[in-house]
């Protein structure tokens, strides 16, 4: 019987486990996660007002409740936790689905000023990630600059513009809800260094900005027109054509005089964050122009300052090394061949990768399905050699003997019950527990 550990319980990890049990009638899979909660970015990355996408948890749950799959939370793999060599002793194969855990930096002066954050940190705050350390992003902020024009940038801009009435029915923790309700941000600038035809947001996400109550979306026709593809977008892929159609509509519409404005800006490259009273007060941008060589831009030597007491950079995720695994710093991924981990160019038996740590932070949630399928195909192809090694019948017993106390599925269900009880006590629906202490206390609560 094949025993497999999958490290990471986000979509790539769950799809990997699903493929394994569907294709091998005897395999047993342990899905390990550093957190006591499953679902990865579906729980801690999808915006709380995107309930349809968050409902994907239901299908992930069905996989994790399979009789030959076990969820083991609060198991840290790597430095300070379970060494990768130890996992190889306990399982015939290990599949690493650890995602891309950090964000890219701008690399400009002033980026470390108070009030300057990554969008990842902001998302972790309003999503109740237990590693979030910031209590409030908004004190004193009147204007915000979101640097980036992808879906995460749209998410954080939308959350800044949402009212308490719209967010109360979500699972957002109480402290961020209270802070956003009391926030004074009325100007939100979402800024890209290239033009509208290169923007990475999806049309569905973009359109949502136009449906926010008491919020104007403002676009400058002159900035849009700098993009050669704007005048005639017929050669663009359909999603980018639709984006331009939406932007055209906003550029032509007169402002309604709403309480808040979201301004979409293009062809502006951040060059410095400027201080005011010891915090960020503005962002200095250089106007860029198409370089005529494709999708690139070049500097114009002309500059503009945009007031912002809150700056959120949303310029992409990046994988981080996991102690004991090879890592390519150029691509921020683990070297592999069809999912098989490569060490010094040679396949490392029994070690595999799937998801963002395999292919980089690209695609949507569904992109993890074919990625996991390829990796599982490689693993099952290697099965005859893998099962020759002797491994324990029950790796959990060995982990407990090592001093670990995994949060099992019953522990996760206890967390769910505690979050439902917290929501009821606040007159809301389910409300997420916001920190390690409350999560672990709930996980180890005995059912009466």
């Amino acid at each position: 019987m094949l025993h497999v550990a999958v490290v990471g319980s986000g979509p790539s990890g769950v799809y990997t486990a699903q493929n394994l049990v569907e294709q091998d009638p005897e395999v047993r899979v342990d899905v390990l996660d550093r957190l006591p909660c499953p679902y990865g970015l579906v729980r801690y990355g999808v915006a709380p007002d995107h309930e349809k996408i968050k409902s994907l948890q239901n299908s992930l749950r069905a996989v994790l409740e399979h009789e030959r799959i076990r969820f083991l939370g609060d198991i840290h793999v790597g430095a300070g936790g379970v060494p990768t060599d130890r996992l190889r002793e306990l399982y015939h194969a290990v599949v690493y689905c650890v995602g891309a855990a950090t964000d890219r930096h701008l690399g400009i002066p002033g980026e470390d000023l108070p009030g300057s954050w990554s969008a990842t940190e902001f998302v972790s705050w309003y999503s109740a990630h237990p590693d979030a350390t910031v209590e409030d992003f908004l004190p004193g902020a009147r204007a915000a600059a979101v640097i980036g024009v992808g879906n995460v940038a749209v998410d954080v801009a939308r959350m800044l513009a949402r009212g308490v009435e719209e967010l109360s029915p979500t699972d957002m923790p109480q402290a961020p809800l209270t802070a956003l309700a009391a926030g004074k941000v009325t100007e939100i600038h979402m800024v890209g260094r290239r033009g509208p035809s290169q923007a990475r947001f999806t049309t569905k996400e973009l359109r949502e900005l136009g449906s926010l109550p008491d919020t104007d979306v403002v676009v400058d026709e002159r900035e849009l027109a700098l993009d050669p593809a704007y005048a005639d977008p017929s050669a663009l892929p359909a999603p980018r054509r639709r984006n331009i159609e939406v932007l055209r509509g906003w550029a032509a519409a007169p402002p309604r005089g709403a309480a808040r404005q979201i301004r979409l800006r293009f062809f502006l490259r951040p060059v410095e964050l400027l201080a005011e009273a010891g915090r960020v007060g503005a962002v200095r941008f250089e106007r860029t122009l198409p370089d005529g060589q494709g999708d690139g831009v070049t500097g114009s030597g002309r500059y503009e300052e945009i007031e912002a007491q809150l700056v959120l950079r949303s310029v992409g995720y990046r994988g981080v090394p996991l102690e004991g695994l090879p890592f390519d710093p150029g691509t921020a991924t683990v070297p592999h061949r069809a999912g098989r981990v490569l060490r010094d160019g040679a396949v490392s038996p029994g070690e595999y990768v799937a998801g963002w740590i395999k292919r980089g932070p690209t695609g949507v949630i569904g992109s993890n399905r074919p990625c996991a399928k390829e990796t599982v195909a490689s693993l099952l192809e290697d099965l005859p050699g893998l099962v020759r090694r002797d491994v324990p019948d029950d790796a959990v017993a060995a982990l407990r003997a090592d001093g670990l106390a995994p949060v099992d599925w019953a522990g996760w269900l206890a967390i769910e019950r505690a979050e439902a009880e917290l929501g009821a006590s606040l007159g809301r629906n389910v409300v997420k527990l916001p920190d390690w202490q409350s999560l672990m206390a709930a996980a180890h609560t005995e059912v009466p």
Side-chain angles (χ1 to χ4, degrees):
M1 179 182 293
L2 180 67
H3 294 265
V4 180
V6 173
V7 182
S9 67
S12 63
V14 175
Y15 294 150
T16 297
Q18 181 180 31
N19 271 276
L20 282 165
V21 296
E22 287 178 349
Q23 296 185 51
D24 185 325
E26 293 189 342
V27 65
R28 295 192 178 276
V29 184
D30 287 345
V31 179
L32 283 56
D33 203 290
R34 184 177 68 86
L35 301 177
C37 310
Y39 312 139
L41 282 180
V42 177
R43 176 174 167 89
Y44 287 119
V46 174
D49 61 340
H50 274 181
E51 294 182 5
K52 184 174 181 180
I53 302 175
K54 289 179 73 67
S55 68
L56 176 63
Q57 291 180 125
N58 296 328
S59 59
L60 300 181
R61 170 193 291 272
V63 175
L64 292 174
E65 289 181 334
H66 190 281
E67 61 181 2
R68 287 184 283 122
I69 296 175
R70 292 187 296 190
F71 171 73
L72 303 175
D74 193 30
I75 299 294
H76 181 68
V77 176
V82 182
T84 56
D85 287 347
R86 178 60 172 154
L87 285 185
R88 290 288 290 116
E89 293 172 356
L90 300 178
Y91 296 92
H92 292 114
V94 183
V95 186
Y96 295 94
C97 306
V98 292
T102 190
D103 59 278
R104 296 182 183 275
H105 289 255
L106 298 172
I108 60 175
E111 188 171 6
D112 295 328
L113 282 169
S116 168
W117 308 95
S118 72
T120 304
E121 292 169 302
F122 188 65
V123 171
S124 292
W125 174 66
Y126 68 60
S127 297
H129 195 292
D131 289 341
T133 57
V134 182
E135 294 184 2
D136 189 356
F137 284 78
L138 306 174
R142 304 179 302 276
V146 181
I147 299 175
V149 283
N151 279 345
V152 175
V154 175
D155 278 350
V156 299
R158 190 180 68 252
M159 296 303 293
L160 284 168
R162 284 283 192 204
V164 65
E165 298 83 5
E166 303 149 69
L167 294 175
S168 280
T170 74
D171 63 4
M172 178 182 284
Q174 192 65 28
L177 177 66
T178 301
L180 286 167
K184 306 297 183 184
V185 175
T186 57
E187 291 278 340
I188 303 161
H189 305 265
M190 192 166 71
V191 189
R193 65 183 177 86
R194 299 189 295 175
S197 69
Q198 289 95 39
R200 297 301 181 92
F201 40 60
T202 58
T203 308
K204 181 180 179 182
E205 290 256 1
L206 181 64
R207 284 188 175 129
E208 280 188 88
L209 297 179
S211 64
L212 295 171
D214 208 13
T215 302
D216 280 336
V217 181
V218 180
V219 187
D220 189 333
E221 178 81 33
R222 293 169 296 179
E223 285 188 349
L224 300 179
L226 291 173
D227 190 332
Y230 178 71
D232 180 13
S234 59
L236 293 174
R240 297 190 186 186
R241 286 203 309 272
R242 290 193 290 268
N243 285 345
I244 285 181
E245 290 169 6
V246 173
L247 294 168
R248 282 183 191 274
W250 286 334
R256 297 170 297 171
R260 291 179 296 274
Q261 290 190 333
I262 298 177
R263 296 181 176 272
L264 271 64
R265 304 294 308 274
F266 297 96
F267 291 111
L268 290 173
R269 176 168 57 202
V271 294
E272 185 177 4
L273 271 57
L274 305 175
E276 180 181 300
R279 297 177 54 85
V280 65
V283 185
R284 191 173 193 230
F285 292 92
E286 181 183 17
R287 167 67 65 193
T288 61
L289 297 167
D291 65 4
Q293 305 298 314
D295 287 345
V297 292
T298 185
S300 69
R302 292 184 288 116
Y303 297 88
E304 174 181 341
E305 292 179 10
I306 294 178
E307 178 190 356
Q309 296 80 35
L310 171 64
V311 176
L312 299 171
R313 65 178 184 274
S314 180
V315 290
Y317 293 99
R318 181 176 173 82
V320 297
L322 180 67
E323 185 177 272
L325 276 187
F327 187 75
D328 181 348
T331 61
T333 60
V334 172
H336 71 94
R337 183 180 301 142
R340 297 178 177 94
V341 171
L342 298 177
R343 293 182 181 273
D344 298 322
V347 169
S348 178
E351 294 185 307
Y352 303 84
V353 284
W356 279 0
I357 200 63
K358 170 186 173 185
R359 69 180 192 275
T362 61
V364 295
I365 290 174
S367 305
N368 291 294
R369 287 188 178 275
C371 176
K373 185 176 181 180
E374 179 190 55
T375 295
V376 169
S378 295
L379 191 158
L380 294 179
E381 190 176 300
D382 301 340
L383 188 150
L386 297 175
V387 295
R388 292 194 189 112
R389 283 196 313 110
D390 290 332
V391 299
D393 289 335
D394 185 6
V396 172
L399 290 171
R400 292 187 187 280
D402 289 345
L404 300 175
V407 172
D408 59 13
W409 193 249
W412 159 240
L413 296 180
I415 291 172
E416 284 194 316
R417 287 192 297 273
E419 293 184 336
E421 292 167 1
L422 175 60
S425 72
L426 296 169
R428 298 172 57 196
N429 298 323
V430 171
V431 173
K432 285 181 183 172
L433 297 174
D435 53 54
W436 278 98
Q437 182 178 0
S438 56
L439 287 169
M440 296 306 294
H444 295 296
T445 299
E446 294 186 8
V447 179

